[in-house]
């Protein structure tokens, strides 16, 4: 699969299929990349981002964590989304912000107490996304045994690609995620290495909270996470299907004080 073009979203894909109107009034719209759908669906229809942690064993180990016996997750707000053409912003008081490339799964219909089959029927498509993490803030929060919301929830902390319709993905396990910083590869991993597979993950979440149409589930990151600084450029993709690029800037100073 590495022979496939990494920037596959910029090459020919299958013919665009007509948009459909959703129950809540949103629409699939052309993204400008053949065969892909606009990520604006995530903000006009979706309500939240559910992010699964430590779902690649090598990533769990690289941060000194145990591989979980059952899935665990946290929530990122919809305001964390940022689309290509705009920068990722590092909060002015953060000393270290890390990238974590992930497969995003877009929910196409409401899921509550769902079976694996219901999940598979509900999936609308897939994205590549970057779960940005204020690692210095997360470290303090962990030490205090507090939730991670601040470390994960800043505006622009979820760069996301156009949506790949699920019909274009023959096998989720065969998808290969990658991420580069200033052209240097930092992460690469196959989705077959996930500890918990996509349908089981989403079914698990649906037994805890209802997933709504347009919600996105981030499914974990492969090994190789690390810091990115203002002035650098991140590029991430799914080999042969989609890629995206984001400059990194420093967010203007706000009234939120740094943690001590």
């Amino acid at each position: 699969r590495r022979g496939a073009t990494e920037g596959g979203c910029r090459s020919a894909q299958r013919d665009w299929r007509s948009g459909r109107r959703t129950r809540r009034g949103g629409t699939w719209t052309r993204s400008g990349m053949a065969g892909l759908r606009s990520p604006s669906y995530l903000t006009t229809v979706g309500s939240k981002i559910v992010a699964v942690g430590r779902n690649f064993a090598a990533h769990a180990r690289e941060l000194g964590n145990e591989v979980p016996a059952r899935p665990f997750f946290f929530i990122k707000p919809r305001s964390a989304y940022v689309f290509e053409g705009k920068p990722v912003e590092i909060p002015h008081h953060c000393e270290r912000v890390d990238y974590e490339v992930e497969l995003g799964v877009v929910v196409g219909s409401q899921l509550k107490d769902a079976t694996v089959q219901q999940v598979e029927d509900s999936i609308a498509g897939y994205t590549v996304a970057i779960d940005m993490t204020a690692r210095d803030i997360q470290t303090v929060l962990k030490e205090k045994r507090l939730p991670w919301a601040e470390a994960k929830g800043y505006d622009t902390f979820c760069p996301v690609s156009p949506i790949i319709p699920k019909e274009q993905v023959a096998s989720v396990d065969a998808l290969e995620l990658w991420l580069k910083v200033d052209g240097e590869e930092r992460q690469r991993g196959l989705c077959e290495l996930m500890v918990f597979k996509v349908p089981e993950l989403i079914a698990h979440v649906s037994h805890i909270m209802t997933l709504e149409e347009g919600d996105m589930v981030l499914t974990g990151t492969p090994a190789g996470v690390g810091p990115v600084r203002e002035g650098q450029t991140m590029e991430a993709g799914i080999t042969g299907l989609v890629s995206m690029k984001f400059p990194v800037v420093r967010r203007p100073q706000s009234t939120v004080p740094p943690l001590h």
Side-chain angles (χ1 to χ4, degrees):
R1 290 190 58 80
R2 292 200 181 187
T5 303
E6 289 179 340
C9 67
R10 309 184 200 282
S11 62
Q13 298 288 333
R14 285 191 251 179
D15 291 340
W16 173 256
R17 293 172 176 160
S18 298
R20 64 172 176 85
R21 185 163 294 281
T22 71
R23 287 187 297 277
R24 288 163 56 189
T27 55
W28 288 112
T29 57
R30 186 186 294 273
S31 70
M33 299 179 184
L36 304 181
R37 290 165 173 164
S38 171
S40 63
Y41 175 76
L42 301 170
T43 56
T44 58
V45 178
S47 63
K48 57 186 174 293
I49 305 164
V50 178
V52 176
R54 303 173 192 169
N55 198 32
F56 284 76
H59 166 61
R61 288 193 293 266
E62 75 178 344
L63 294 184
N65 298 311
E66 295 183 359
V67 177
R70 65 192 296 268
F72 82 94
F73 60 89
F74 52 90
I75 304 296
K76 293 173 79 84
R78 191 172 65 175
S79 57
Y81 283 125
V82 62
F83 307 144
E84 201 167 22
K86 295 185 177 180
V88 170
E89 297 180 347
I90 295 178
H92 70 92
H93 58 279
C94 289
E95 297 180 2
R96 174 169 172 162
V97 171
D98 284 8
Y99 53 79
E100 301 181 16
V101 67
E102 309 207 10
L103 176 71
V105 183
V106 181
V107 176
S109 60
Q110 187 184 85
L111 290 171
K112 179 179 176 65
D113 296 335
T115 66
V116 166
Q117 185 59 57
Q118 288 170 331
V119 169
E120 291 176 344
D121 292 342
S122 171
I123 291 172
Y126 303 91
T127 70
V128 63
I130 307 175
D131 174 20
M132 302 301 296
T133 305
R135 194 70 73 193
D136 52 336
I137 292 177
Q138 186 188 41
T139 298
V140 173
L141 294 171
K142 283 183 175 180
E143 290 172 351
K144 296 178 180 290
R145 299 186 177 182
L146 295 173
W148 302 352
E150 181 180 351
K152 294 284 191 175
Y154 285 99
D155 289 355
T156 79
F157 264 31
C158 189
V160 66
S161 74
I163 300 165
I164 307 161
K166 72 175 179 182
E167 295 82 6
Q168 294 188 19
V169 177
S171 169
V172 173
D173 278 356
L175 297 179
E176 184 179 53
L177 306 170
W178 57 269
L179 181 141
K180 299 177 180 179
V181 176
D182 289 344
E184 179 182 341
E185 184 170 296
R186 301 290 179 86
Q187 288 185 276
R188 184 177 291 272
L190 289 168
C191 289
E192 68 180 5
L193 298 176
M194 289 181 182
V195 177
F196 304 103
K197 301 301 183 181
V198 166
E200 290 79 7
L201 277 177
I202 297 177
H204 173 79
V205 173
S206 80
H207 283 256
I208 299 169
M209 64 179 65
T210 299
L211 293 169
E212 303 289 354
E213 179 184 2
D215 287 354
M216 186 170 71
V217 179
L218 299 180
T219 55
T221 189
V225 302
V228 64
R229 301 184 303 276
E230 60 183 303
Q232 295 188 304
T233 298
M234 297 183 296
E235 186 175 3
I238 300 172
T239 301
L241 287 175
V242 70
S243 66
M244 61 182 187
K245 184 179 291 187
F246 289 88
V248 180
V249 301
R250 177 68 63 170
R251 182 176 178 173
Q253 186 167 352
S254 71
T255 57
V256 177
L259 291 173
H260 296 290

